[in-house]
Amino acid sequence: MKKIIISLLAFVMIFSLVGCNKKASNKILVGVAMPTQSLQRWNQDGSNMKKQLEEKGYQVDLQYANNDVNTQIQQLENMITKGCKVLVIASIDGSALTDVLKKAADNDIRVIAYDRLIMNTEDVDYYATFDNFKVGVIQGRYIEEKLGLKEGNGPFIGELFAGSPDDNNATFFYNGAMSILQPYINDGKLVITSKQTDFTTIAIQGWDSAKAQARMDNLITAHYAGGKKLDFVLSPNDSLAIGIVTSLKNAGFGTASKPYPIITGQDCDKPNVIAMINGQQSMSIFKDTRTLASKVVEMVDALMKGEEAPINDTETYNNGVKTVPSFLCDPVYADANNYKEILIDSGYYKESDLQ
Ligand code: BGC
């Protein structure tokens, strides 16, 4: 009797294992490679993608690479080995994935570049992002409006920062912002005291807050010691804005006699929204990661059904080898005046998240 029960149990176990496997292998596996968990937005991007893909019946392998290029390549290799049919990649170094993506193509795996374009490869099918040039334009316009430049006010004193040189987006943000600011610099209405205006000089490798803080420290020591005024700092995103604000605070900014300059940002990360409410950062571009994720999920779904993926741009994003068909979502900005409407009423944050 005991023997019969044991064999029966073994049979049930084997049967349910086979059942489990079958269930798992029925689902299409999608690899989602995100750059880092250190910036809040990528955590949201990752969890939105996972949730929305799972709701559509996909199985998801979500990985973060701690901003390390080799880790990301390794993760992509694993995704290929595990049998992923689609790879969704927010690259760390957009130019470092050519070999691993060749391997993906050899295995008939489709590739979607997420937020950041993947450069110098044939093997990327689609790109979904926010309109990156427009992000810079909105930041430039914010400075223009707050300083009253259109009305002829000035001259105003400021400094410029740009993002990581290995991220294709960084040049788009810079070019967008400079399309607004450069004419005022040419006219002498905006004065960049350090004279550091070209992309390479002002770029911050790895979007690193500490490196932005160190550059701002150096600029203050060299040009803004002894209470010299500073009217604006162009920061392309929130991780840089955090470093810039810390540096300014350490140098005694943030008082009635030495107020913070206008400081831009991007991502609406929680600490930055709090900094906006506290008057330390002026604005941040809001890119609703739920919208981007749902576009990419539509793309994945279309690819897997052999249909055309949604795109609205076939001209802007050349990766050096081909122009990648893209979907560009629309960025907006939030500041202390409109953040409730933009971030809370839309359900992105709860009021309690921002305390
Ligand atoms: C993204 C930004 C982000 C930055 C740093 C860029 O590629 O578009 O939203 O702030 O990377 O992670």
Side-chain angles (χ1 to χ4, degrees):
M1 187 61 186
K2 210 172 165 192
K3 260 190 185 165
I4 295 176
I5 291 177
I6 289 172
S7 346
L8 213 70
L9 272 176
F11 179 77
V12 168
M13 269 172 72
I14 289 167
F15 186 78
S16 57
L17 272 178
V18 169
C20 261
N21 259 337
K22 199 162 167 234
K23 205 166 157 213
S25 63
N26 269 344
K27 291 192 175 180
I28 295 175
L29 186 59
V30 179
V32 178
M34 290 285 146
T36 173
Q37 282 187 295
S38 68
L39 203 62
Q40 184 199 324
R41 75 151 289 185
W42 301 116
N43 294 281
Q44 268 159 331
D45 287 283
S47 59
N48 286 333
M49 281 297 302
K50 187 165 162 33
K51 181 165 163 269
Q52 294 185 24
L53 280 168
E54 284 174 354
E55 278 165 10
K56 284 229 183 260
Y58 294 95
Q59 204 188 333
V60 179
D61 182 14
L62 168 64
Q63 300 292 338
Y64 291 90
N66 201 18
N67 263 342
D68 182 67
V69 180
N70 290 326
T71 305
Q72 187 165 63
I73 293 172
Q74 195 58 55
Q75 290 173 339
L76 291 168
E77 303 259 4
N78 287 341
M79 288 171 182
I80 295 171
T81 313
K82 281 186 201 162
C84 286
K85 296 281 180 263
V86 187
L87 300 178
V88 175
I89 308 168
S91 56
I92 296 164
D93 179 341
S95 302
L97 303 180
T98 312
D99 291 348
V100 70
L101 292 191
K102 172 83 184 52
K103 219 178 268 179
D106 291 345
N107 285 279
D108 285 329
I109 298 169
R110 311 303 297 273
V111 174
I112 299 171
Y114 186 98
D115 193 78
R116 299 170 171 173
L117 187 57
I118 301 172
M119 309 301 287
N120 306 328
T121 173
E122 183 64 44
D123 304 316
V124 51
D125 297 286
Y126 290 102
Y127 178 37
T129 189
F130 283 82
D131 185 334
N132 295 304
F133 187 86
K134 191 168 174 189
V135 166
V137 168
I138 299 173
Q139 292 170 334
R141 285 217 188 288
Y142 193 89
I143 293 173
E144 178 188 54
E145 193 199 312
K146 294 294 161 194
L147 294 178
L149 292 167
K150 263 195 185 158
E151 292 72 41
N153 295 340
F156 296 103
I157 314 286
E159 294 294 339
L160 310 171
F161 282 72
S164 192
D166 53 6
D167 179 348
N168 187 57
N169 288 353
T171 351
F172 278 80
F173 301 147
Y174 170 78
N175 288 336
M178 290 309 262
S179 73
I180 305 299
L181 303 180
Q182 189 68 57
Y184 294 111
I185 297 175
N186 296 346
D187 287 356
K189 289 288 185 188
L190 290 181
V191 179
I192 313 300
T193 315
S194 67
K195 300 199 168 41
Q196 296 178 4
T197 56
D198 72 290
F199 177 81
T200 326
T201 316
I202 65 173
I204 301 292
Q205 183 65 41
W207 297 98
D208 187 352
S209 305
K211 291 195 174 116
Q213 184 178 339
R215 177 164 182 261
M216 193 70 232
D217 285 348
N218 291 336
L219 290 169
I220 293 172
T221 310
H223 307 289
Y224 301 96
K228 203 170 165 216
K229 78 165 187 157
L230 182 63
D231 299 307
F232 71 97
V233 179
L234 171 75
S235 166
N237 90 330
D238 282 355
S239 60
L240 268 55
I242 287 278
I244 294 164
V245 167
T246 308
S247 168
L248 291 168
K249 197 174 180 186
N250 292 344
F253 282 82
T255 61
S257 59
K258 211 174 169 188
Y260 283 109
I262 293 167
I263 303 173
T264 55
Q266 163 176 210
D267 294 333
C268 284
D269 274 5
K270 278 181 210 164
N272 298 75
V273 179
I274 293 168
M276 290 195 308
I277 297 167
N278 294 338
Q280 297 171 315
Q281 182 175 330
S282 312
M283 62 85 90
S284 183
I285 300 288
F286 176 51
K287 305 196 296 191
D288 193 330
T289 49
R290 296 168 299 188
T291 315
L292 183 58
S294 71
K295 262 305 150 203
V296 176
V297 170
E298 270 181 55
M299 280 180 171
V300 171
D301 220 26
L303 284 174
M304 290 302 94
K305 290 179 177 150
E307 294 164 1
E308 290 294 311
I311 50 169
N312 61 10
D313 183 290
T314 51
E315 282 166 17
T316 312
Y317 287 99
N318 188 293
N319 77 349
V321 175
K322 70 192 243 192
T323 300
V324 185
S326 307
F327 192 96
L328 310 186
C329 305
D330 213 24
V332 293
Y333 79 78
D335 67 4
N337 295 321
N338 72 0
Y339 82 93
K340 284 200 174 132
E341 187 189 323
I342 303 273
L343 301 173
I344 296 183
D345 296 353
S346 72
Y348 199 74
Y349 290 138
K350 292 195 280 297
E351 192 82 64
S352 58
D353 290 331
L354 304 174
Q355 271 141 25

